Amino acid sequence: MPPARKAIEVRRSVLDQGKGWIDEMLRADLTAPPKQRHTNKRIMDRLRDEYGFPVAYTTLNDYLRVRRPQIREEAERSRMLTEGMVPQFHRPGEEAEVDFAEVWVRVDGKPMACQLFTLRLSYSGKAVHRVFSTSGQEAFMQGHVDAFRILGGIPTRHIRYDNLKPAVSQVCFGRSRVESQRWVAFRSHYVHVPVGSLSLPTASTTSMAA
């Protein structure tokens, strides 16, 4: 009978004890401002001063060259799994989105804070922008009129609103809202411009296929 084989001893790296501390620093760097991230020398200094773990600079460099991109990849993969993604599907001419955003313009050479109205088609991304002094009801409605005229029609399914405050007269419990009479009259004129995704068109006028 041949003699029993000797167990192979796995050679341990001099960094094994400190790998957990190093990885912790690298993960902290993922969310830290650029100027506060660890350099290789800073990691070496912390290992020595905070953990009493001296390590050769070249040995540490060899580990960081491999481990730093691995840490970034692991974090990205974890983020994708936790956040998830729901793909959206839009048909041509069916849906649009409306929003107001603050924008600064120069009037007579002086900066002035204004409101940028945007109506954007969900399928093509084509958008109409208008700048108003306020985001009041008049600007809200005028933005719609200009957008429908320029786009040559009205979305056939619905328009989504990030903020429908200009069209609301009263906020009720939860997500319930009481629309203002002027807004009800305005959208009734276009027949099939539902608010959000509450309903489908009940009739049709000019539609678009953008």
Side-chain angles (χ1 to χ4, degrees):
M1 296 293 293
R5 293 185 178 183
K6 293 183 179 180
I8 300 176
E9 294 184 5
V10 179
R11 185 178 178 182
R12 296 178 61 85
S13 168
V14 295
L15 276 179
D16 283 351
Q17 182 182 346
K19 286 181 178 179
W21 301 324
I22 298 171
D23 290 357
E24 183 179 348
M25 298 179 202
L26 295 178
R27 291 189 180 95
D29 285 346
L30 296 175
T31 56
K35 292 185 178 180
Q36 296 181 17
R37 295 172 189 169
H38 291 82
T39 62
N40 292 8
K41 185 178 184 305
R42 174 59 178 156
I43 293 177
M44 184 180 70
D45 292 341
R46 286 193 61 187
L47 289 174
R48 183 192 64 236
D49 299 339
E50 298 179 21
Y51 302 100
F53 185 74
V55 62
Y57 189 68
T58 54
T59 302
L60 179 63
N61 280 352
D62 292 340
Y63 179 75
L64 293 176
R65 184 165 49 250
V66 176
R67 190 60 178 143
R68 188 173 266 128
Q70 289 177 345
I71 291 287
R72 287 196 296 264
E73 184 179 350
E74 291 170 4
E76 180 64 20
R77 186 163 55 248
S78 176
R79 183 189 65 81
M80 293 176 64
L81 291 174
T82 54
E83 291 183 359
M85 182 181 66
V86 178
Q88 296 188 34
F89 177 76
H90 306 286
R91 294 184 181 277
E94 278 195 348
E95 304 173 45
E97 305 154 12
V98 168
D99 193 14
F100 269 111
E102 186 179 68
V103 62
W104 286 83
V105 300
R106 287 190 173 274
V107 180
D108 293 333
K110 297 180 180 180
M112 178 179 176
C114 296
Q115 296 294 320
L116 177 67
F117 172 93
T118 299
L119 188 146
R120 176 182 175 276
L121 295 176
S122 301
Y123 175 79
S124 65
K126 185 175 182 180
V128 175
H129 306 281
R130 286 293 183 269
V131 176
F132 298 100
S133 59
T134 70
S135 58
Q137 194 176 78
E138 292 80 4
F140 186 67
M141 295 181 181
Q142 186 62 48
H144 282 77
V145 172
D146 290 350
F148 296 156
R149 175 176 54 81
I150 293 172
L151 295 174
I154 305 165
T156 59
R157 187 182 178 198
H158 61 222
I159 300 176
R160 291 189 176 90
Y161 296 90
D162 182 59
N163 183 0
L164 201 57
K165 184 178 178 180
V168 172
S169 61
Q170 182 181 353
V171 178
C172 303
F173 180 77
R175 300 183 64 181
S176 301
R177 302 289 187 271
V178 176
E179 300 175 28
S180 69
Q181 291 300 313
R182 291 187 65 187
W183 171 246
V184 172
F186 175 82
R187 67 182 181 84
S188 297
H189 171 73
Y190 290 99
V191 182
H192 67 292
V193 186
V195 176
S197 55
L198 300 180
S199 59
L200 294 176
T202 56
S204 61
T205 56
T206 305
S207 62
M208 62 178 68

